[in-house]
mmCIF file of all heavy atoms in Angstrom:
data_model
loop_
_atom_site.group_PDB
_atom_site.id
_atom_site.type_symbol
_atom_site.label_atom_id
_atom_site.label_comp_id
_atom_site.label_asym_id
_atom_site.label_seq_id
_atom_site.Cartn_x
_atom_site.Cartn_y
_atom_site.Cartn_z
ATOM 1 N N GLU X 1 -28.768 43.382 -50.212
ATOM 2 C CA GLU X 1 -27.473 43.540 -50.843
ATOM 3 C C GLU X 1 -26.892 44.865 -50.367
ATOM 4 O O GLU X 1 -27.554 45.896 -50.469
ATOM 5 C CB GLU X 1 -27.624 43.523 -52.363
ATOM 6 C CG GLU X 1 -28.161 42.209 -52.883
ATOM 7 C CD GLU X 1 -28.395 42.194 -54.374
ATOM 8 O OE1 GLU X 1 -27.663 42.907 -55.112
ATOM 9 O OE2 GLU X 1 -29.310 41.490 -54.812
ATOM 10 N N ARG X 2 -25.672 44.814 -49.812
ATOM 11 C CA ARG X 2 -25.025 46.017 -49.279
ATOM 12 C C ARG X 2 -23.561 46.029 -49.674
ATOM 13 O O ARG X 2 -22.969 44.988 -49.912
ATOM 14 C CB ARG X 2 -25.081 46.035 -47.752
ATOM 15 C CG ARG X 2 -26.421 46.308 -47.175
ATOM 16 C CD ARG X 2 -26.445 46.352 -45.684
ATOM 17 N NE ARG X 2 -25.365 47.116 -45.081
ATOM 18 C CZ ARG X 2 -25.171 47.240 -43.768
ATOM 19 N NH1 ARG X 2 -25.984 46.638 -42.935
ATOM 20 N NH2 ARG X 2 -24.173 47.945 -43.286
ATOM 21 N N GLU X 3 -23.024 47.223 -49.692
ATOM 22 C CA GLU X 3 -21.583 47.349 -49.865
ATOM 23 C C GLU X 3 -20.975 47.591 -48.487
ATOM 24 O O GLU X 3 -21.397 48.482 -47.755
ATOM 25 C CB GLU X 3 -21.239 48.513 -50.790
ATOM 26 C CG GLU X 3 -19.771 48.537 -51.142
ATOM 27 C CD GLU X 3 -19.440 49.534 -52.223
ATOM 28 O OE1 GLU X 3 -20.147 49.563 -53.239
ATOM 29 O OE2 GLU X 3 -18.463 50.285 -52.030
ATOM 30 N N MET X 4 -20.003 46.766 -48.161
ATOM 31 C CA MET X 4 -19.303 46.885 -46.877
ATOM 32 C C MET X 4 -17.814 46.740 -47.150
ATOM 33 O O MET X 4 -17.388 45.712 -47.680
ATOM 34 C CB MET X 4 -19.779 45.804 -45.894
ATOM 35 C CG MET X 4 -21.247 45.913 -45.522
ATOM 36 S SD MET X 4 -21.803 44.585 -44.421
ATOM 37 C CE MET X 4 -21.044 45.125 -42.889
ATOM 38 N N GLY X 5 -17.060 47.759 -46.796
ATOM 39 C CA GLY X 5 -15.619 47.693 -47.008
ATOM 40 C C GLY X 5 -15.254 47.517 -48.461
ATOM 41 O O GLY X 5 -14.380 46.731 -48.785
ATOM 42 N N ALA X 6 -15.939 48.231 -49.347
ATOM 43 C CA ALA X 6 -15.698 48.172 -50.803
ATOM 44 C C ALA X 6 -15.971 46.778 -51.383
ATOM 45 O O ALA X 6 -15.416 46.411 -52.399
ATOM 46 C CB ALA X 6 -14.287 48.650 -51.151
ATOM 47 N N ARG X 7 -16.818 46.026 -50.702
ATOM 48 C CA ARG X 7 -17.162 44.684 -51.167
ATOM 49 C C ARG X 7 -18.670 44.488 -51.070
ATOM 50 O O ARG X 7 -19.300 44.889 -50.098
ATOM 51 C CB ARG X 7 -16.460 43.667 -50.288
ATOM 52 C CG ARG X 7 -16.646 42.253 -50.724
ATOM 53 C CD ARG X 7 -15.804 41.326 -49.885
ATOM 54 N NE ARG X 7 -15.966 39.961 -50.348
ATOM 55 C CZ ARG X 7 -15.427 38.926 -49.775
ATOM 56 N NH1 ARG X 7 -14.659 39.076 -48.720
ATOM 57 N NH2 ARG X 7 -15.621 37.717 -50.238
ATOM 58 N N GLN X 8 -19.239 43.858 -52.080
ATOM 59 C CA GLN X 8 -20.668 43.567 -52.069
ATOM 60 C C GLN X 8 -20.935 42.361 -51.175
ATOM 61 O O GLN X 8 -20.257 41.335 -51.309
ATOM 62 C CB GLN X 8 -21.152 43.283 -53.508
ATOM 63 C CG GLN X 8 -22.633 43.289 -53.671
ATOM 64 C CD GLN X 8 -23.261 44.674 -53.544
ATOM 65 O OE1 GLN X 8 -22.584 45.683 -53.469
ATOM 66 N NE2 GLN X 8 -24.566 44.738 -53.527
ATOM 67 N N VAL X 9 -21.871 42.495 -50.253
ATOM 68 C CA VAL X 9 -22.219 41.410 -49.354
ATOM 69 C C VAL X 9 -23.731 41.238 -49.329
ATOM 70 O O VAL X 9 -24.480 42.156 -49.653
ATOM 71 C CB VAL X 9 -21.712 41.624 -47.904
ATOM 72 C CG1 VAL X 9 -20.210 41.813 -47.875
ATOM 73 C CG2 VAL X 9 -22.422 42.777 -47.243
ATOM 74 N N LEU X 10 -24.154 40.058 -48.942
ATOM 75 C CA LEU X 10 -25.555 39.829 -48.623
ATOM 76 C C LEU X 10 -25.641 39.976 -47.111
ATOM 77 O O LEU X 10 -24.999 39.232 -46.368
ATOM 78 C CB LEU X 10 -26.013 38.436 -49.056
ATOM 79 C CG LEU X 10 -27.518 38.225 -48.857
ATOM 80 C CD1 LEU X 10 -28.273 38.925 -49.990
ATOM 81 C CD2 LEU X 10 -27.857 36.764 -48.822
ATOM 82 N N TYR X 11 -26.385 40.971 -46.671
ATOM 83 C CA TYR X 11 -26.496 41.253 -45.242
ATOM 84 C C TYR X 11 -27.796 40.676 -44.710
ATOM 85 O O TYR X 11 -28.864 40.902 -45.278
ATOM 86 C CB TYR X 11 -26.451 42.769 -44.998
ATOM 87 C CG TYR X 11 -26.245 43.106 -43.542
ATOM 88 C CD1 TYR X 11 -24.971 43.110 -42.992
ATOM 89 C CD2 TYR X 11 -27.330 43.381 -42.729
ATOM 90 C CE1 TYR X 11 -24.783 43.395 -41.647
ATOM 91 C CE2 TYR X 11 -27.148 43.657 -41.383
ATOM 92 C CZ TYR X 11 -25.871 43.666 -40.853
ATOM 93 O OH TYR X 11 -25.691 43.939 -39.522
ATOM 94 N N ILE X 12 -27.695 39.940 -43.625
ATOM 95 C CA ILE X 12 -28.887 39.383 -42.982
ATOM 96 C C ILE X 12 -29.307 40.348 -41.887
ATOM 97 O O ILE X 12 -28.622 40.485 -40.865
ATOM 98 C CB ILE X 12 -28.614 37.979 -42.410
ATOM 99 C CG1 ILE X 12 -28.249 37.026 -43.551
ATOM 100 C CG2 ILE X 12 -29.837 37.487 -41.634
ATOM 101 C CD1 ILE X 12 -27.874 35.626 -43.110
ATOM 102 N N TYR X 13 -30.416 41.031 -42.125
ATOM 103 C CA TYR X 13 -30.946 41.961 -41.140
ATOM 104 C C TYR X 13 -31.731 41.240 -40.050
ATOM 105 O O TYR X 13 -31.740 41.672 -38.900
ATOM 106 C CB TYR X 13 -31.868 42.996 -41.792
ATOM 107 C CG TYR X 13 -31.117 44.151 -42.395
ATOM 108 C CD1 TYR X 13 -30.817 44.179 -43.752
ATOM 109 C CD2 TYR X 13 -30.689 45.209 -41.601
ATOM 110 C CE1 TYR X 13 -30.121 45.245 -44.298
ATOM 111 C CE2 TYR X 13 -29.994 46.273 -42.147
ATOM 112 C CZ TYR X 13 -29.714 46.284 -43.493
ATOM 113 O OH TYR X 13 -29.026 47.338 -44.034
ATOM 114 N N ASP X 14 -32.407 40.185 -40.417
ATOM 115 C CA ASP X 14 -33.248 39.502 -39.443
ATOM 116 C C ASP X 14 -33.437 38.065 -39.883
ATOM 117 O O ASP X 14 -33.749 37.790 -41.046
ATOM 118 C CB ASP X 14 -34.607 40.205 -39.341
ATOM 119 C CG ASP X 14 -35.435 39.765 -38.150
ATOM 120 O OD1 ASP X 14 -34.941 39.028 -37.281
ATOM 121 O OD2 ASP X 14 -36.610 40.185 -38.075
ATOM 122 N N ILE X 15 -33.208 37.168 -38.956
ATOM 123 C CA ILE X 15 -33.586 35.772 -39.154
ATOM 124 C C ILE X 15 -34.189 35.333 -37.834
ATOM 125 O O ILE X 15 -33.599 35.533 -36.773
ATOM 126 C CB ILE X 15 -32.417 34.868 -39.579
ATOM 127 C CG1 ILE X 15 -32.909 33.419 -39.732
ATOM 128 C CG2 ILE X 15 -31.232 34.997 -38.645
ATOM 129 C CD1 ILE X 15 -31.977 32.507 -40.461
ATOM 130 N N GLU X 16 -35.361 34.788 -37.911
ATOM 131 C CA GLU X 16 -36.086 34.408 -36.694
ATOM 132 C C GLU X 16 -36.896 33.161 -36.984
ATOM 133 O O GLU X 16 -37.643 33.111 -37.951
ATOM 134 C CB GLU X 16 -37.026 35.548 -36.271
ATOM 135 C CG GLU X 16 -37.820 35.270 -35.037
ATOM 136 C CD GLU X 16 -37.028 35.492 -33.743
ATOM 137 O OE1 GLU X 16 -36.002 36.171 -33.771
ATOM 138 O OE2 GLU X 16 -37.469 34.968 -32.700
ATOM 139 N N ILE X 17 -36.710 32.171 -36.146
ATOM 140 C CA ILE X 17 -37.561 30.987 -36.189
ATOM 141 C C ILE X 17 -38.500 31.098 -34.987
ATOM 142 O O ILE X 17 -38.051 31.366 -33.866
ATOM 143 C CB ILE X 17 -36.737 29.680 -36.131
ATOM 144 C CG1 ILE X 17 -35.760 29.593 -37.314
ATOM 145 C CG2 ILE X 17 -37.656 28.457 -36.076
ATOM 146 C CD1 ILE X 17 -36.402 29.606 -38.698
ATOM 147 N N ASP X 18 -39.778 30.917 -35.222
ATOM 148 C CA ASP X 18 -40.755 31.037 -34.150
ATOM 149 C C ASP X 18 -40.398 30.069 -33.020
ATOM 150 O O ASP X 18 -39.986 28.924 -33.275
ATOM 151 C CB ASP X 18 -42.162 30.750 -34.667
ATOM 152 C CG ASP X 18 -42.611 31.742 -35.724
ATOM 153 O OD1 ASP X 18 -42.107 32.888 -35.733
ATOM 154 O OD2 ASP X 18 -43.459 31.373 -36.563
ATOM 155 N N PRO X 19 -40.561 30.516 -31.763
ATOM 156 C CA PRO X 19 -40.143 29.679 -30.613
ATOM 157 C C PRO X 19 -40.685 28.246 -30.637
ATOM 158 O O PRO X 19 -39.962 27.315 -30.269
ATOM 159 C CB PRO X 19 -40.677 30.463 -29.407
ATOM 160 C CG PRO X 19 -40.670 31.888 -29.864
ATOM 161 C CD PRO X 19 -41.047 31.825 -31.326
ATOM 162 N N ALA X 20 -41.903 28.052 -31.086
ATOM 163 C CA ALA X 20 -42.487 26.702 -31.093
ATOM 164 C C ALA X 20 -41.774 25.754 -32.064
ATOM 165 O O ALA X 20 -41.943 24.541 -31.973
ATOM 166 C CB ALA X 20 -43.974 26.785 -31.451
ATOM 167 N N PHE X 21 -40.982 26.304 -32.986
ATOM 168 C CA PHE X 21 -40.336 25.480 -34.006
ATOM 169 C C PHE X 21 -38.822 25.405 -33.839
ATOM 170 O O PHE X 21 -38.135 24.820 -34.670
ATOM 171 C CB PHE X 21 -40.675 26.014 -35.393
ATOM 172 C CG PHE X 21 -42.130 25.940 -35.710
ATOM 173 C CD1 PHE X 21 -42.942 27.065 -35.567
ATOM 174 C CD2 PHE X 21 -42.707 24.764 -36.142
ATOM 175 C CE1 PHE X 21 -44.302 27.002 -35.845
ATOM 176 C CE2 PHE X 21 -44.064 24.689 -36.425
ATOM 177 C CZ PHE X 21 -44.849 25.809 -36.268
ATOM 178 N N ARG X 22 -38.298 25.990 -32.798
ATOM 179 C CA ARG X 22 -36.847 25.989 -32.593
ATOM 180 C C ARG X 22 -36.355 24.611 -32.168
ATOM 181 O O ARG X 22 -37.104 23.793 -31.661
ATOM 182 C CB ARG X 22 -36.460 27.044 -31.552
ATOM 183 C CG ARG X 22 -36.691 28.438 -32.064
ATOM 184 C CD ARG X 22 -36.286 29.490 -31.085
ATOM 185 N NE ARG X 22 -36.694 30.790 -31.586
ATOM 186 C CZ ARG X 22 -36.836 31.859 -30.852
ATOM 187 N NH1 ARG X 22 -36.581 31.805 -29.556
ATOM 188 N NH2 ARG X 22 -37.223 32.997 -31.400
ATOM 189 N N GLY X 23 -35.067 24.388 -32.400
ATOM 190 C CA GLY X 23 -34.456 23.128 -32.000
ATOM 191 C C GLY X 23 -34.651 22.015 -33.002
ATOM 192 O O GLY X 23 -34.358 20.852 -32.693
ATOM 193 N N ARG X 24 -35.132 22.328 -34.189
ATOM 194 C CA ARG X 24 -35.389 21.302 -35.208
ATOM 195 C C ARG X 24 -34.493 21.457 -36.446
ATOM 196 O O ARG X 24 -34.739 20.822 -37.448
ATOM 197 C CB ARG X 24 -36.845 21.384 -35.661
ATOM 198 C CG ARG X 24 -37.841 21.198 -34.536
ATOM 199 C CD ARG X 24 -39.249 21.322 -35.039
ATOM 200 N NE ARG X 24 -40.183 21.411 -33.919
ATOM 201 C CZ ARG X 24 -41.481 21.519 -34.064
ATOM 202 N NH1 ARG X 24 -42.022 21.561 -35.261
ATOM 203 N NH2 ARG X 24 -42.261 21.600 -33.004
ATOM 204 N N GLY X 25 -33.525 22.358 -36.382
ATOM 205 C CA GLY X 25 -32.635 22.562 -37.521
ATOM 206 C C GLY X 25 -33.163 23.557 -38.542
ATOM 207 O O GLY X 25 -32.572 23.721 -39.609
ATOM 208 N N LEU X 26 -34.249 24.234 -38.233
ATOM 209 C CA LEU X 26 -34.839 25.175 -39.189
ATOM 210 C C LEU X 26 -33.998 26.435 -39.367
ATOM 211 O O LEU X 26 -33.895 26.969 -40.480
ATOM 212 C CB LEU X 26 -36.268 25.535 -38.774
ATOM 213 C CG LEU X 26 -37.241 24.361 -38.721
ATOM 214 C CD1 LEU X 26 -38.555 24.772 -38.069
ATOM 215 C CD2 LEU X 26 -37.481 23.794 -40.103
ATOM 216 N N GLY X 27 -33.385 26.917 -38.289
ATOM 217 C CA GLY X 27 -32.512 28.074 -38.404
ATOM 218 C C GLY X 27 -31.310 27.780 -39.283
ATOM 219 O O GLY X 27 -30.947 28.571 -40.148
ATOM 220 N N ARG X 28 -30.712 26.613 -39.080
ATOM 221 C CA ARG X 28 -29.587 26.195 -39.916
ATOM 222 C C ARG X 28 -30.015 26.091 -41.379
ATOM 223 O O ARG X 28 -29.329 26.595 -42.278
ATOM 224 C CB ARG X 28 -29.063 24.839 -39.439
ATOM 225 C CG ARG X 28 -28.005 24.218 -40.354
ATOM 226 C CD ARG X 28 -27.471 22.923 -39.768
ATOM 227 N NE ARG X 28 -26.809 23.155 -38.508
ATOM 228 C CZ ARG X 28 -25.566 23.631 -38.383
ATOM 229 N NH1 ARG X 28 -24.868 23.898 -39.463
ATOM 230 N NH2 ARG X 28 -25.033 23.822 -37.204
ATOM 231 N N ALA X 29 -31.154 25.473 -41.615
ATOM 232 C CA ALA X 29 -31.640 25.326 -42.984
ATOM 233 C C ALA X 29 -31.922 26.685 -43.619
ATOM 234 O O ALA X 29 -31.617 26.911 -44.793
ATOM 235 C CB ALA X 29 -32.889 24.446 -43.010
ATOM 236 N N ALA X 30 -32.476 27.615 -42.839
ATOM 237 C CA ALA X 30 -32.755 28.954 -43.364
ATOM 238 C C ALA X 30 -31.452 29.680 -43.696
ATOM 239 O O ALA X 30 -31.368 30.395 -44.712
ATOM 240 C CB ALA X 30 -33.577 29.753 -42.362
ATOM 241 N N MET X 31 -30.432 29.498 -42.878
ATOM 242 C CA MET X 31 -29.137 30.122 -43.173
ATOM 243 C C MET X 31 -28.536 29.544 -44.451
ATOM 244 O O MET X 31 -27.917 30.274 -45.236
ATOM 245 C CB MET X 31 -28.178 29.918 -41.992
ATOM 246 C CG MET X 31 -28.543 30.731 -40.766
ATOM 247 S SD MET X 31 -28.502 32.521 -41.031
ATOM 248 C CE MET X 31 -26.741 32.768 -41.296
ATOM 249 N N LEU X 32 -28.736 28.261 -44.687
ATOM 250 C CA LEU X 32 -28.245 27.664 -45.938
ATOM 251 C C LEU X 32 -29.007 28.213 -47.132
ATOM 252 O O LEU X 32 -28.428 28.406 -48.214
ATOM 253 C CB LEU X 32 -28.329 26.141 -45.860
ATOM 254 C CG LEU X 32 -27.383 25.504 -44.824
ATOM 255 C CD1 LEU X 32 -27.672 24.015 -44.696
ATOM 256 C CD2 LEU X 32 -25.933 25.772 -45.156
ATOM 257 N N LEU X 33 -30.286 28.501 -46.955
ATOM 258 C CA LEU X 33 -31.044 29.136 -48.044
ATOM 259 C C LEU X 33 -30.575 30.570 -48.267
ATOM 260 O O LEU X 33 -30.583 31.050 -49.406
ATOM 261 C CB LEU X 33 -32.542 29.100 -47.755
ATOM 262 C CG LEU X 33 -33.198 27.723 -47.874
ATOM 263 C CD1 LEU X 33 -34.676 27.797 -47.489
ATOM 264 C CD2 LEU X 33 -33.034 27.151 -49.273
ATOM 265 N N ALA X 34 -30.151 31.249 -47.222
ATOM 266 C CA ALA X 34 -29.569 32.586 -47.388
ATOM 267 C C ALA X 34 -28.304 32.490 -48.235
ATOM 268 O O ALA X 34 -28.054 33.343 -49.091
ATOM 269 C CB ALA X 34 -29.288 33.224 -46.024
ATOM 270 N N GLU X 35 -27.525 31.443 -48.011
ATOM 271 C CA GLU X 35 -26.330 31.239 -48.844
ATOM 272 C C GLU X 35 -26.710 31.048 -50.311
ATOM 273 O O GLU X 35 -26.040 31.567 -51.209
ATOM 274 C CB GLU X 35 -25.532 30.027 -48.340
ATOM 275 C CG GLU X 35 -24.856 30.269 -47.027
ATOM 276 C CD GLU X 35 -24.040 29.067 -46.546
ATOM 277 O OE1 GLU X 35 -23.735 28.159 -47.365
ATOM 278 O OE2 GLU X 35 -23.701 29.038 -45.342
ATOM 279 N N GLU X 36 -27.783 30.297 -50.554
ATOM 280 C CA GLU X 36 -28.256 30.129 -51.938
ATOM 281 C C GLU X 36 -28.654 31.475 -52.537
ATOM 282 O O GLU X 36 -28.391 31.734 -53.709
ATOM 283 C CB GLU X 36 -29.459 29.187 -51.991
ATOM 284 C CG GLU X 36 -29.126 27.738 -51.860
ATOM 285 C CD GLU X 36 -30.351 26.854 -52.090
ATOM 286 O OE1 GLU X 36 -31.347 27.318 -52.680
ATOM 287 O OE2 GLU X 36 -30.288 25.689 -51.675
ATOM 288 N N GLN X 37 -29.304 32.313 -51.742
ATOM 289 C CA GLN X 37 -29.695 33.638 -52.211
ATOM 290 C C GLN X 37 -28.461 34.444 -52.598
ATOM 291 O O GLN X 37 -28.454 35.126 -53.622
ATOM 292 C CB GLN X 37 -30.512 34.380 -51.140
ATOM 293 C CG GLN X 37 -31.902 33.849 -50.935
ATOM 294 C CD GLN X 37 -32.783 34.140 -52.118
ATOM 295 O OE1 GLN X 37 -32.792 35.236 -52.665
ATOM 296 N NE2 GLN X 37 -33.534 33.136 -52.547
ATOM 297 N N ALA X 38 -27.422 34.392 -51.781
ATOM 298 C CA ALA X 38 -26.190 35.117 -52.082
ATOM 299 C C ALA X 38 -25.578 34.618 -53.392
ATOM 300 O O ALA X 38 -25.231 35.417 -54.267
ATOM 301 C CB ALA X 38 -25.190 34.976 -50.936
ATOM 302 N N ARG X 39 -25.463 33.313 -53.520
ATOM 303 C CA ARG X 39 -24.874 32.747 -54.743
ATOM 304 C C ARG X 39 -25.689 33.121 -55.976
ATOM 305 O O ARG X 39 -25.129 33.442 -57.022
ATOM 306 C CB ARG X 39 -24.759 31.235 -54.621
ATOM 307 C CG ARG X 39 -23.668 30.791 -53.698
ATOM 308 C CD ARG X 39 -23.508 29.260 -53.713
ATOM 309 N NE ARG X 39 -22.645 28.848 -52.640
ATOM 310 C CZ ARG X 39 -23.072 28.390 -51.461
ATOM 311 N NH1 ARG X 39 -24.363 28.251 -51.224
ATOM 312 N NH2 ARG X 39 -22.204 28.051 -50.522
ATOM 313 N N ALA X 40 -27.011 33.090 -55.856
ATOM 314 C CA ALA X 40 -27.874 33.438 -56.990
ATOM 315 C C ALA X 40 -27.672 34.888 -57.423
ATOM 316 O O ALA X 40 -27.894 35.229 -58.587
ATOM 317 C CB ALA X 40 -29.348 33.183 -56.629
ATOM 318 N N ARG X 41 -27.264 35.735 -56.501
ATOM 319 C CA ARG X 41 -27.023 37.153 -56.788
ATOM 320 C C ARG X 41 -25.566 37.417 -57.166
ATOM 321 O O ARG X 41 -25.171 38.563 -57.372
ATOM 322 C CB ARG X 41 -27.387 37.992 -55.567
ATOM 323 C CG ARG X 41 -28.876 38.044 -55.289
ATOM 324 C CD ARG X 41 -29.132 38.634 -53.887
ATOM 325 N NE ARG X 41 -30.513 39.011 -53.669
ATOM 326 C CZ ARG X 41 -31.502 38.187 -53.411
ATOM 327 N NH1 ARG X 41 -31.257 36.884 -53.366
ATOM 328 N NH2 ARG X 41 -32.725 38.617 -53.219
#
């Protein structure tokens, strides 16, 4: 949780899907879970 431009944001410092698991929609799904985290906060 960070303040940017006088607004509270959820900042993603790092998102990484291991190379062996890429191309399966896991990055997209993880980003959607990040959205859930933001809404929960």
Side-chain angles (χ1 to χ4, degrees):
E1 297 177 30
R2 288 181 46 183
E3 188 171 314
M4 297 177 75
R7 184 174 182 184
Q8 194 70 8
V9 303
L10 186 78
Y11 193 83
I12 298 176
Y13 277 97
D14 193 8
I15 179 166
E16 180 80 18
I17 300 300
D18 298 334
F21 297 98
R22 292 182 187 160
R24 302 179 191 180
L26 298 170
R28 172 176 297 281
M31 290 298 293
L32 294 172
L33 288 177
E35 290 181 16
E36 283 187 18
Q37 288 291 315
R39 286 186 191 98
R41 290 167 166 77

